[in-house]
Amino acid sequence: MSTSVFPRLEPHLPSVSKPIQYVGGELNSTVKDWDCAPEGETVRWALMYPDAYEVGLPNQGVQILYEVLNERDWIVAERTYAVWPDMEAVLRRGDEQGPIPQFTVDGHRPVRDFDVLGLSFSTELGYTNMLTALDLAQIPLHAVDRTEADPVVLAGGHAAFNPEPVADFLDAAVLGDGEEVVLAISEVVREWKGEGRPGGRDELLRRLAVTGNVYVPTFYDVAYAADGTIEAVVPNRPGIPHRVRKHTLMDLDAWPYPRKPLVPLAETVHERFSVEIFRGCTRGCRFCQAGMITRPVRERSIETIGDMVENGIRSTGFEEVGLLSLSSADHTEIGEVAKGLADRYDGSNVSLSLPSTRVDAFNITLANEFSRNGRRSGLTFAPEGGSERMRKVINKMVTEEDLIRTVAAAYSHGWRQVKLYFMCGLPTETDEDVLAIADLAKRVIAKGREVSGRNDIRCTVSIGGFVPKPHTPFQWAAQLDHETTDERLRKLRDTVRDDKRFGRAIGFRYHDGKPGTIEGLLSRGDRRVGAVIEEVWRDGGRFDGWSEHFSYERWVTAAERVFAGTGIDLAWFTTREREYDEVLPWDHLDSGLDKDWLWADWEDALAVADGSADVEVEDCRWTPCYDCGVCPEMGTEIQIGPTGRQLLPLSVV
Ligand code: B12
Ligand code: SF4
């Protein structure tokens, strides 16, 4: 049995901010009978996106898993999000029965009553929110202290490709696509419960680990060398695999989820629903973890995309549909998809959008199709590097001429606003590379004025600090310290501002470099970083992804305290370049990428940087395989069209 805490919660709702986020009952949400199958056969999941409801609700990963799980008549899946500090205080204060526990928004059931707590980490800055949730749920923070009464705390999402910094708090982690593996995990849990929980929690985790598909950190010992680096990570009991593999969903058409997207009750970061048109990206940008860990490319067919758009509109009432992927304009039939959908919804309120577009994949016909029914919003491109040299180093093969040609086409067809994304702090970067961003923006404005004959052309430059990520060719790179990052960006801002002709037409958006340093610690950290996370959390750290809550000083102080006398520190994890033979904390987690290929690619980047070589990694979608390792290791292959098929008009019923 599990009892709803809503009656205990309700009296407090008027006193907290945005109470609607805790109420649940959204269109397309599900509250299943707790005993939907006999007790020994029911498996119950609490799924958590460890950020506020407004960020977490639109998350596709959680929505997909929620639906996939709930479709099984023996599984209950509910959702929970991070509560704001005011609600945290209310829950801790509680009522005459004691503190009110972390609850799900569907059945308002205590999270601790579930069999599995599945956390989705798309960013590392959500780690402290996980600790709040565990503590409020009255689940011991450390995996070793948990008993059979506690759920299995399981992480997934991109950050789970290096779960070592949170290893102490997790029972398990899963790498890669979740659709099939959550069902496989549920089967194992069901069997174990059905058998009367033999061997307790330890046996359940063992059964999950021996599949080779679920990483159970406590089954691995980490040994450190005198210089602080890792000597080895080895399984500490028989039958546990040396490496844990990622999952790859090979037939996206067979998994057209979410079929019934959730419609949020409160305002969220995305007021639309998204259809993922393909997964993976093989463009080979060296900084991009998402591109590396989601290989190979697997496209959804044009018909499935059409069906998903139609189902989504019918079941939600949303009027904006985003076609999502890591580089949407690269779908082999994007032109047909755009035209087919624009034709279908011509004259209706339905509008289509694409996330940022590659400069070389953009064309005016496509952009016109996307804006046929909606307003003509600004265009977003991501050259990432300001100078041609920098773009070659990161393998983002976009020339300045490509960019100018593309924006010229856009401005001459009526667009007035272009947004450009860049990074600061890329390996081998100098001040000049960053200042080249200003030159590029000026050329963009000049060209825009020339081709449109107007003066109200705008270009917004948005810059993020580069954070080296695991499983990428830049995983060995030194991260730029935040002082230099800020200094470079200040110079760039002054250069833009001081320009009399163009300065006012260029918008400039950037964040300071400090959160990037902490993201760097959490991205490439090892198990010793867990104590820092816990210290920060105990010191009040919450919502670290939000600038108004983030405190750099809190992280620095905690790191100093935890690492005192150990020979390692914050800089050791962030601004230190790694050597070829260093054991990286995530080496035992198999993304399929061959470490030697990654290293060779890193060396190529450095050779390009100093001009001693001019190598470009092409996209293996269109050129022969260059042996990154993923397909043979994972038994996968590139799946792309064109299929030559088209979207037919919808029959009116
Ligand atoms: C839409 C989007 C957003 C939206 C909405 C975020 C949201 N709540 O969903 C907004 C604009 C808010 C956003 C913000 C940010 N985003 Co964003 N975002 C995306 C985008 C375009 C799509 C995400 C998505 O829906 N993917 C599709 C779903 C199905 O995949 P998925 O979530 O990974 O889930 C699958 C698996 O990972 C797994 N899985 C996931 N969770 C779990 C849990 C368990 C238990 C299990 C078993 C499995 C599992 O199963 C799922 C199904 O297969 C991606 C790029 C991309 N195409 O993936 C970037 C991306 C995820 N974002 C990214 C980043 C960096 C951010 C920001 C940090 C940016 C910033 N500096 O502010 C913030 C963080 C916000 C936050 N606090 O979480 C990066 C992540 C970097 C990384 N770790 O590699 C990505 C990959 C973009 C990129 N190329 O850099 N983002
Ligand atoms: S193994 Fe070959 S085809 Fe597969 S993703 Fe790597 S380079 Fe591309």
Side-chain angles (χ1 to χ4, degrees):
M1 259 309 286
S2 177
T3 317
S4 167
V5 298
F6 197 71
R8 297 174 65 194
L9 204 59
E10 200 176 7
H12 301 285
L13 290 178
S15 67
V16 297
S17 57
K18 299 188 188 169
I20 189 84
Q21 64 186 308
Y22 305 116
V23 171
E26 299 92 340
L27 183 61
N28 297 328
S29 63
T30 312
V31 184
K32 283 172 89 170
D33 188 353
W34 187 251
D35 296 310
C36 59
E39 179 50 33
E41 289 164 33
T42 317
V43 177
R44 303 177 182 105
W45 287 70
L47 293 169
M48 175 169 201
Y49 192 85
D51 205 325
Y53 179 90
E54 61 203 75
V55 180
L57 183 124
N59 180 260
Q60 286 265 315
V62 170
Q63 290 204 22
I64 291 171
L65 303 183
Y66 177 70
E67 222 179 303
V68 165
L69 289 166
N70 273 323
E71 276 182 2
R72 303 306 182 275
D73 58 11
W74 50 280
I75 302 180
V76 176
E78 302 199 354
R79 295 160 296 133
T80 184
Y81 303 99
V83 299
W84 280 116
D86 59 352
M87 180 55 115
E88 183 186 341
V90 164
L91 298 184
R92 288 192 188 283
R93 226 174 14 251
D95 52 21
E96 60 288 347
Q97 296 176 50
I100 304 171
Q102 174 86 23
F103 55 87
T104 57
V105 294
D106 297 299
H108 295 97
R109 286 152 173 157
V111 164
R112 190 164 186 244
D113 290 351
F114 290 76
D115 297 307
V116 185
L117 168 58
L119 290 136
S120 182
F121 283 115
S122 48
T123 157
E124 298 80 4
L125 292 172
Y127 289 160
T128 47
N129 285 353
M130 166 180 67
L131 296 188
T132 311
L134 289 175
D135 192 48
L136 289 174
Q138 293 152 30
I139 299 170
L141 291 191
H142 293 181
V144 288
D145 298 328
R146 290 183 196 136
T147 67
E148 236 180 277
D150 297 303
V152 169
V153 179
L154 169 79
H158 290 183
F161 277 78
N162 176 25
E164 291 303 89
V166 278
D168 289 351
F169 316 117
L170 296 178
D171 294 301
V174 160
L175 281 64
D177 300 329
E179 287 86 343
E180 293 168 316
V181 70
V182 290
L183 294 176
I185 291 172
S186 302
E187 296 280 2
V188 174
V189 176
R190 172 162 75 167
E191 209 173 281
W192 171 78
K193 281 177 79 173
E195 290 170 18
R197 303 173 184 248
R201 189 180 179 78
D202 193 70
E203 169 61 9
L204 172 60
L205 293 174
R206 195 198 60 82
R207 288 186 186 188
L208 290 170
V210 292
T211 61
N213 287 325
V214 179
Y215 174 52
V216 178
T218 45
F219 293 165
Y220 295 79
D221 287 336
V222 183
Y224 300 96
D227 65 359
T229 56
I230 293 174
E231 211 161 58
V233 180
V234 278
N236 55 23
R237 56 172 77 195
I240 303 297
H242 277 82
R243 298 191 82 199
V244 182
R245 293 153 58 84
K246 79 161 178 183
H247 298 261
T248 314
L249 187 69
M250 278 316 289
D251 184 0
L252 260 70
D253 278 351
W255 297 82
Y257 295 91
R259 288 182 207 266
K260 291 186 172 172
L262 292 165
V263 182
L265 290 175
E267 199 183 324
T268 61
V269 289
H270 268 175
E271 296 296 323
R272 58 171 177 263
F273 84 89
S274 301
V275 171
E276 221 185 334
I277 62 173
F278 64 88
R279 223 171 252 182
C281 177
T282 39
R283 284 282 191 171
C285 301
R286 296 190 169 109
F287 58 85
C288 181
Q289 185 191 41
M292 292 290 161
I293 61 177
T294 59
R295 290 168 174 231
V297 172
R298 293 143 286 152
E299 285 186 355
R300 257 196 182 117
S301 70
I302 182 166
E303 290 101 332
T304 308
I305 295 170
D307 290 350
M308 288 179 73
V309 170
E310 180 57 13
N311 279 339
I313 291 169
R314 276 175 196 261
S315 64
T316 61
F318 276 125
E319 289 176 346
E320 192 185 336
V321 185
L323 298 185
L324 182 100
S325 76
L326 287 170
S327 177
S328 292
D330 282 338
H331 189 287
T332 47
E333 287 174 312
I334 189 66
E336 290 74 11
V337 169
K339 179 168 184 324
L341 291 175
D343 284 348
R344 275 189 175 181
Y345 299 106
D346 205 7
S348 74
N349 291 332
V350 174
S351 67
L352 303 167
S353 67
L354 273 191
S356 81
T357 317
R358 278 188 68 96
V359 169
D360 44 2
F362 172 87
N363 67 62
I364 287 295
T365 321
L366 188 62
N368 278 333
E369 294 295 5
F370 276 99
S371 56
R372 213 198 295 175
N373 250 357
R375 62 195 167 81
R376 182 170 281 197
S377 53
L379 292 172
T380 306
F381 301 106
E384 311 286 8
S387 67
E388 198 102 352
R389 188 193 77 88
M390 204 68 259
R391 289 192 294 273
K392 281 188 172 178
V393 171
I394 61 179
N395 202 49
K396 185 107 190 188
M397 307 310 288
V398 173
T399 64
E400 188 154 333
E401 294 321 310
D402 286 337
L403 178 70
I404 298 299
R405 198 174 326 114
T406 300
V407 295
Y411 286 128
S412 63
H413 281 78
W415 272 271
R416 299 271 164 269
Q417 166 93 282
V418 167
K419 196 169 176 186
L420 302 177
Y421 280 129
F422 294 94
M423 278 184 289
C424 175
L426 290 161
T428 77
E429 180 188 275
T430 61
D431 285 5
E432 283 64 46
D433 293 309
V434 173
L435 292 176
I437 295 174
D439 297 333
L440 201 56
K442 285 187 226 168
R443 277 199 68 191
V444 164
I445 300 285
K447 193 69 183 179
R449 288 179 183 165
E450 177 195 321
V451 296
S452 69
R454 303 173 59 122
N455 248 337
D456 60 348
I457 296 301
R458 280 196 63 78
C459 170
T460 302
V461 166
S462 180
I463 308 180
F466 166 64
V467 179
K469 295 271 171 159
H471 305 279
T472 68
F474 287 170
Q475 64 184 353
W476 290 278
Q479 185 174 351
L480 191 64
D481 60 88
H482 70 88
E483 291 90 347
T484 317
T485 304
D486 292 345
E487 184 52 33
R488 266 186 201 157
L489 291 176
R490 236 187 325 272
K491 281 187 191 154
L492 174 62
R493 189 196 55 200
D494 293 346
T495 311
V496 170
R497 272 202 194 147
D498 294 347
D499 193 285
K500 299 247 168 349
R501 278 186 67 204
F502 300 108
R504 298 184 61 183
I506 301 174
F508 191 58
R509 289 179 37 192
Y510 72 97
H511 303 287
D512 78 277
K514 288 174 177 168
T517 299
I518 301 310
E519 197 188 324
L521 169 75
L522 301 177
S523 298
R524 291 193 296 171
D526 56 40
R527 291 189 185 184
R528 293 168 294 186
V529 172
V532 181
I533 301 170
E534 188 172 340
E535 182 93 3
V536 165
W537 175 77
R538 290 198 186 282
D539 193 25
R542 306 285 187 275
F543 290 92
D544 285 296
W546 296 67
S547 51
E548 58 271 46
H549 291 275
F550 176 78
S551 160
Y552 183 66
E553 288 63 39
R554 184 152 45 207
W555 281 94
V556 170
T557 312
E560 276 168 4
R561 225 176 293 155
V562 168
F563 295 142
T566 62
I568 57 170
D569 57 14
L570 181 56
W572 190 86
F573 283 105
T574 53
T575 55
R576 180 178 63 95
E577 187 171 325
R578 279 73 162 161
E579 300 290 332
Y580 170 76
D581 47 12
E582 180 168 337
V583 177
L584 302 172
W586 51 91
D587 277 353
H588 58 299
L589 300 173
D590 189 6
S591 59
L593 293 155
D594 177 5
K595 198 175 174 189
D596 281 336
W597 178 80
L598 287 173
W599 178 262
D601 203 41
W602 167 228
E603 287 198 309
D604 284 349
L606 296 176
V608 169
D610 67 21
S612 61
D614 192 11
V615 265
E616 177 184 341
V617 185
E618 306 245 18
D619 190 324
C620 59
R621 254 175 296 192
W622 306 302
T623 58
C625 166
Y626 48 77
D627 294 329
C628 77
V630 171
C631 292
E633 176 74 9
M634 295 292 147
T636 55
E637 61 187 5
I638 299 262
Q639 277 181 357
I640 55 169
T643 61
R645 298 198 288 262
Q646 287 183 339
L647 280 186
L648 300 173
L650 291 170
S651 52
V652 184
V653 241

